[in-house]
Amino acid sequence: MWRVALIAIALLAVWGALAARLGVLHLGSNDALAERVRRMRTVKEDILVGRGRILDRNERLLALDLPVQNVCVDPVVVLSNGQARAVSVQLARVLGLPPAQVYDRVNRPGRRYEPVARLVREEVANEVARLKMPGVFFEPLTTRNYPHGDMGCHVLGFSNQEGVGSAGIEQRWDPLLKGRPGFRQSERDGNRREIYTRRSVEVDSQEGADIYLTLDQNIQHFVEKALDAAMTNFHPEAAWAIVEEVRTGEILAMASRPAYDLNDYNKTDADTRLNRAVGVNFEPGSVFKVGVVAAALNEGLISTNDLFFCENGMWFYANRPLRDFHPYGTLDVTGILRKSSNIGAAKIAVMLGEDRLHRYLTAYGLGKPTGLEVPGEESGLLHPRSKWTKVDITRVAMGHTVAVTALQMLNVMCCIGNDGFLMKSHLVRKVVDKNGVVLQENKPEALARPITERTAALMRRMLTEVTREGGTGTRGAVPGYNVAGKTGTAEKIVDGRYVKNANVSSFMGLLPAERPEIGIIVVLDNPQPLRTGGVTAAPVFAQIAAPVARYLDIRPVDANELVYYRQILAGAP
């Protein structure tokens, strides 16, 4: 009997303690405990939004968000059902993971959340969902996808794992692309399900806007294919090219090599990700002569058939020697451009004078960024007139002691192609929100008119001779078209000194020369063993220009008039 009494007393004590505790919980002051329970039941979550798309001028997708899922497990539920092994095997089979790895995630007693696989494609997640395994749940997310891999990589840039634009268009236009996430505050029950009637705060999200570029996917392909071939054929350290619409300033293609896959951006270094078309300053060499000759022609100081003695290859100015690549005697202005005479260009620059030359170079937009809508653009280098030495004017004339980006140099050429109007270059056509409202739209904009229409026409006529027999750029000729072009070869500076066996080679041209529609520039950084622009960059130009001309349906100069007619069938009314 004493044992029964002892048990009864113990039970009464336990129940009494429970009753006292319940009394304290219900009747006492338990603000701290109530706040703890409230925090456990409250759920706060951001409502993620899709990042805006990036499209080319023909509305082909270049970047978009794809829906994905994180596949997760609730180990407490799975283990309580005794299904740890079975669930692990099934998940491993569908997700293509080692069963031991999945089992390690599932077999964690007391845990309510364990991710098994992240960023799983929707079709795979749906296959997992069809298995209807208790304790397996999903977290919907989006991931950035670039359908064409490395195409346009330096222009597009990428969005990192946190959804932040980190290069190119993705970075420059991140505030508009990423939209505005929403927010929700609610409560959940013991099974982690939301109690919808307890939803206290909800802020709607706003999806990101779409960016429509001026790039043309097909033209971009032509350019990148040509640069890949150049890397193989001429072995440069790097190569880059731009195609620009002469009369609007729209960039139709912009590419650099080496390139990288945007979907695996974290496997590349910063040098590979550099957009060299706007992010590299280089001494342009002889392509710079077009701006100098155009300035003197515009001032009325020279005419196309004026003769200059080119000193048979050696000329002293300010007690400093200036050499030509080949010795020349007397050349007219067209011949100076055709043969790319340093001495002839220098004598023209001396006639023009330092002040006027500097004023024209500034009017061409040199020495300052173009304002293209991507990060990392360099400004080039054009020293103030007050810092020029006595000999500098002869060096500037041949593209030394100055630095440009490829885009700046192409803009000078397009100015000649556009009857003297310097257009503002742009990559973005318009920005459109998810409701179809145009937030921003770029129209052609003329920044200046450094030279007259007559000067521009004379320059195009003379530059056409560069790609004809006897010129330095014959390999830049395109069958069926007249090409106004210019070669450039500049020695690279290493440790403050020019190096003879290292060059930056370039070629830029307009097509067709009579009424230019496109301007193209190609730059090769230290090609080997061939080094001059005429034998390296010029053929790359032609490899780009020929398919682009056909694609844009630019009329060849020798095209016959086409006559379209409808055949009248016998007996037809």
Side-chain angles (χ1 to χ4, degrees):
M1 293 298 294
W2 65 272
R3 290 174 181 166
V4 173
L6 184 61
I7 292 171
I9 292 171
L11 290 173
L12 287 172
V14 170
W15 286 106
L18 289 174
R21 179 59 177 164
L22 286 171
V24 170
L25 291 175
H26 285 279
L27 302 177
S29 176
N30 295 287
D31 294 339
L33 185 59
E35 177 62 22
R36 180 183 173 190
V37 172
R38 188 190 66 79
R39 287 200 306 268
M40 291 175 61
R41 297 179 63 182
T42 298
V43 55
K44 298 178 181 179
E45 60 179 338
D46 291 328
I47 305 173
L48 301 179
V49 293
R51 192 172 177 83
R53 303 172 299 168
I54 303 177
L55 306 95
D56 82 342
R57 66 191 297 113
N58 299 310
E59 301 188 11
R60 300 185 184 99
L61 285 169
L62 301 175
L64 72 159
D65 275 6
L66 291 181
V68 292
Q69 305 271 359
N70 285 347
V71 180
C72 311
V73 294
D74 184 336
V76 170
V77 174
V78 177
L79 292 172
S80 66
N81 293 332
Q83 296 293 315
R85 290 288 180 186
V87 168
S88 299
V89 169
Q90 293 279 39
L91 286 177
R93 177 183 62 82
V94 177
L95 297 174
L97 299 173
Q101 176 183 323
V102 179
Y103 182 73
D104 179 64
R105 291 287 184 179
V106 173
N107 189 31
R108 297 191 178 186
R111 301 292 295 268
R112 303 304 305 266
Y113 171 83
E114 282 295 329
V116 175
R118 299 183 183 275
L119 306 180
V120 174
R121 299 193 313 271
E122 269 206 328
E123 57 269 26
V124 177
N126 291 337
E127 188 175 347
V128 174
R130 283 193 290 269
L131 298 175
K132 297 181 179 179
M133 293 178 288
V136 177
F137 61 97
F138 305 91
E139 292 178 332
L141 297 169
T142 59
T143 187
R144 199 63 165 169
N145 181 261
Y146 302 91
H148 305 290
D150 64 356
M151 178 179 283
C153 56
H154 299 95
V155 173
L156 297 177
F158 57 88
S159 171
N160 65 20
Q161 293 181 351
E162 287 74 40
V164 178
S166 302
I169 292 292
E170 292 275 25
Q171 177 181 337
R172 172 62 177 78
W173 297 87
D174 185 63
L176 291 174
L177 281 166
K178 69 182 180 181
R180 186 188 66 202
F183 177 76
R184 180 183 298 136
Q185 180 173 310
S186 186
E187 292 186 16
R188 59 189 174 192
D189 61 19
N191 292 321
R192 303 170 59 87
R193 294 174 300 192
E194 183 188 1
I195 305 173
Y196 297 105
T197 56
R198 301 290 181 88
R199 186 177 293 178
S200 56
V201 177
E202 184 169 17
V203 178
D204 290 336
S205 59
Q206 179 179 316
E207 292 198 29
D210 293 334
I211 307 291
Y212 292 80
L213 303 181
T214 61
L215 292 185
D216 187 298
Q217 179 181 307
N218 291 322
I219 297 178
Q220 185 75 22
H221 170 73
F222 299 145
V223 172
E224 297 192 5
K225 183 179 177 181
L227 289 183
D228 288 336
M231 296 294 287
T232 300
N233 297 333
F234 303 114
H235 314 289
E237 297 173 12
W240 53 99
I242 310 171
V243 180
E244 183 171 350
E245 198 170 67
V246 168
R247 305 200 176 272
T248 65
E250 293 187 354
I251 304 298
L252 303 180
M254 177 180 283
S256 298
R257 287 296 183 268
Y260 64 101
D261 188 341
L262 290 169
N263 296 306
D264 289 316
Y265 65 87
N266 54 351
K267 296 181 181 178
T268 59
D269 55 30
D271 185 66
T272 301
R273 295 196 292 263
L274 175 63
N275 183 358
R276 289 171 165 80
V278 295
V280 170
N281 289 324
F282 64 97
E283 286 199 346
S286 293
V287 291
F288 204 75
K289 293 170 184 173
V290 300
V292 177
V293 174
L297 198 63
N298 200 66
E299 288 291 311
L301 299 175
I302 59 174
S303 60
T304 59
N305 58 355
D306 282 353
L307 299 178
F308 288 82
F309 180 52
C310 295
E311 311 290 339
N312 295 315
M314 174 73 77
W315 183 50
F316 282 86
Y317 183 82
N319 297 319
R320 295 286 298 276
L322 180 63
R323 297 177 178 85
D324 271 334
F325 192 76
H326 295 291
Y328 302 112
T330 300
L331 295 174
D332 62 10
V333 176
T334 302
I336 289 171
L337 290 173
R338 182 196 301 118
K339 298 296 185 180
S340 198
S341 169
N342 296 332
I343 296 172
K347 288 189 173 185
I348 291 173
V350 172
M351 289 179 62
L352 187 61
E354 295 174 348
D355 290 333
R356 281 190 292 193
L357 177 57
H358 190 277
R359 187 172 71 248
Y360 271 94
L361 298 182
T362 302
Y364 291 140
L366 302 176
K368 58 185 177 183
T370 67
L372 197 70
E373 311 97 319
V374 288
E377 183 183 13
E378 291 288 344
S379 61
L381 179 64
L382 178 62
H383 291 299
R385 160 66 188 84
S386 59
K387 293 187 177 181
W388 285 20
T389 65
K390 178 69 174 178
V391 76
D392 274 355
I393 191 168
T394 61
R395 273 45 181 178
V396 169
M398 54 185 279
H400 282 229
T401 73
V402 293
V404 299
T405 67
L407 182 59
Q408 288 175 328
M409 203 66 247
L410 180 59
N411 282 346
V412 175
M413 194 65 163
C414 287
C415 172
I416 292 171
N418 193 29
D419 296 332
F421 287 101
L422 180 71
M423 303 302 293
K424 181 177 177 61
S425 300
H426 59 280
L427 268 168
V428 174
R429 296 188 75 184
K430 60 181 178 179
V431 182
V432 183
D433 70 12
K434 292 301 179 181
N435 296 319
V437 177
V438 178
L439 304 178
Q440 182 174 329
E441 187 170 10
N442 287 326
K443 299 290 187 182
E445 179 184 351
L447 299 176
R449 194 175 193 181
I451 58 177
T452 66
E453 181 179 354
R454 179 180 179 275
T455 299
L458 291 173
M459 285 298 300
R460 295 197 300 270
R461 190 175 70 188
M462 289 192 293
L463 291 172
T464 303
E465 297 299 318
V466 173
T467 58
R468 292 176 176 169
E469 185 177 354
T472 58
T474 55
R475 300 189 187 190
V478 178
Y481 297 93
N482 289 322
V483 175
K486 187 69 191 75
T487 56
T489 309
E491 293 178 350
K492 294 184 67 173
I493 298 176
V494 179
D495 298 328
R497 298 177 64 87
Y498 287 105
V499 181
K500 290 187 177 298
N501 61 351
N503 298 90
V504 175
S505 303
S506 59
F507 184 91
M508 61 183 187
L510 302 167
L511 185 150
E514 302 80 13
R515 181 71 174 172
E517 294 189 31
I518 56 171
I520 303 173
I521 187 169
V522 175
V523 183
L524 305 183
D525 184 2
N526 199 21
Q528 297 290 339
L530 303 174
R531 298 198 302 272
T532 63
V535 297
T536 59
V540 181
F541 167 91
Q543 192 177 350
I544 294 170
V548 170
R550 291 193 298 269
Y551 173 72
L552 294 178
D553 198 23
I554 298 175
R555 182 182 177 83
V557 293
D558 57 355
N560 295 322
E561 289 293 332
L562 300 178
V563 179
Y564 295 92
Y565 62 93
R566 178 170 61 90
Q567 184 176 5
I568 307 299
L569 298 177

